[in-house]
Amino acid sequence: MCGMSRWNSTSAPFRTAVATQLQLLLGPPSEPVVAMVSGGLDSMLLAEALLAHGYPLHVLHVNYGLRGAESDADEAFVRAWARETGCPIRVVNAPGHFGSSPDLQARARDLRYGAAFAWHEELSASVITTAHHADDAIETFLLFASRGTGIDGLVSLAPSQGHLRRPLLEFHKTELRAEAERMGLKWREDASNEGDKYTRNHLRHHALPALEQAVPQVRDGIRTTMRRLRHLQKFAEVAIQRESALYTAMSRRLPGTRVLYRDALAHPHSEVIVHQLLKPYAPFELEALRQLADSQVGSFLERDGWRIWADREGLLLVPCADEDPFRAQPVATTQQIPIWDGEVWHTAAELRLTELRKRPSDLGSALEPVTLEIPSTALWRTWLEGDVIHPLGLKGRKKVSDALTEAKVPSPVRRDVVVLASSEAPGEVLWIPGIRLSQALAVPSDAAHVLRWTVNYL
């Protein structure tokens, strides 16, 4: 294989260990693999390993432009290696003034991972590889532990994570450097790694050496701890998933929405259970959720693009989608609107209007009624504060908001309820489909010309 002669210069135990990790994490060579290559020792060693084992390697390099000519030299180095080995390469350049804005490390991470996932999807690649090693994982462990975190934070650098693979995670930096020197590997040094500007660098240069002086086996000890924590994390995931029906389900009233039962918040191990259940969505704080559960229906919390609502059914989790409000429309023969049918929310339903020449014996329901002709000023719009309706068969008027409460419309979609109103301004409502019909549209016994509404769910 191309590159195998260089790779054969590494020690036999190291070659065997790397081959085992590649087989375990990537499987046999087949589909393209996107490798994130900076030009540093770790990423160049991983690129050589992937190449030697026959993986269809596609090299991704990000030039942040933060070190001027040095950054350009890194790019030229990686390009030259890709040209020598015949590997396709894609170079992504950071936008101008990239280093002048706050949260540099977070933005750099978003840039490189965003580029990697985009190319991964474009190529229909099998995985994305990074060259994180055991010392990176230890630094991450210490960083998250010092800030306060759960198991997920402590083992956030895992060998396999979605489409990401980290085949070198079992090896310390000293091991990788020794093998790179043994094979005569060339790489680029990043001078910014020598300073203490970033917290991770400070841990690397000061905290870890101090720990090693006090506890010489600290690196192997933390690595063992993380391995055991990963097993514990996996066990918790499986156990909670097995019993998840006790704590969560898909909403019966709001299709496609997950509901977290209030009982989950009262469980003795609620912190672990709730964290595990909400992990795919957003990291809501347990105490905030408990307060929300005791709040009135319609209250909500928002975090990281998700909202969780207090509702009769439980806590409803919905994405904060871009709002596409229903626009006011004149009455037509066919109309498409969202409808609450009394039990389930339908995001799209077609109302069809037909004319009848006499009053039928069956006047339908609040969902599909028979009505008088509609006033010319009437229109469809979402309900407004101040809207009222004179319910058919009842005395006096009722606030539309109260009618929605009585009908138990789910909190997340309450504002999306569409009504047949007398005008665009708040005021008289003629019909709340599925909920109430106005006395104004009641059909008298001598009516000769009436309308029948039918609903077709889309």
Side-chain angles (χ1 to χ4, degrees), residues 196-214:
D196 291 338
K197 179 179 178 181
Y198 303 116
T199 305
R200 184 179 290 274
N201 285 5
H202 200 281
L203 287 172
R204 183 181 307 147
H205 299 148
H206 302 284
L208 262 175
L211 276 172
E212 275 186 306
Q213 189 172 7

Side-chain angles (χ1 to χ4, degrees), residues 259-311:
V259 56
L260 178 69
Y261 300 139
R262 287 176 170 84
D263 288 349
L265 304 175
H267 193 281
H269 303 298
S270 57
E271 187 161 358
V272 175
I273 292 170
V274 171
H275 168 76
Q276 195 64 43
L277 294 176
L278 296 185
K279 187 167 63 173
Y281 308 101
F284 290 100
E285 298 293 335
L286 178 62
E287 193 52 43
L289 292 175
R290 284 175 173 158
Q291 292 178 18
L292 179 66
D294 292 335
S295 301
Q296 66 181 28
V297 171
S299 302
F300 68 88
L301 297 172
E302 183 173 328
R303 186 161 183 183
D304 296 355
W306 289 88
R307 281 183 178 177
I308 192 160
W309 295 76
D311 195 74

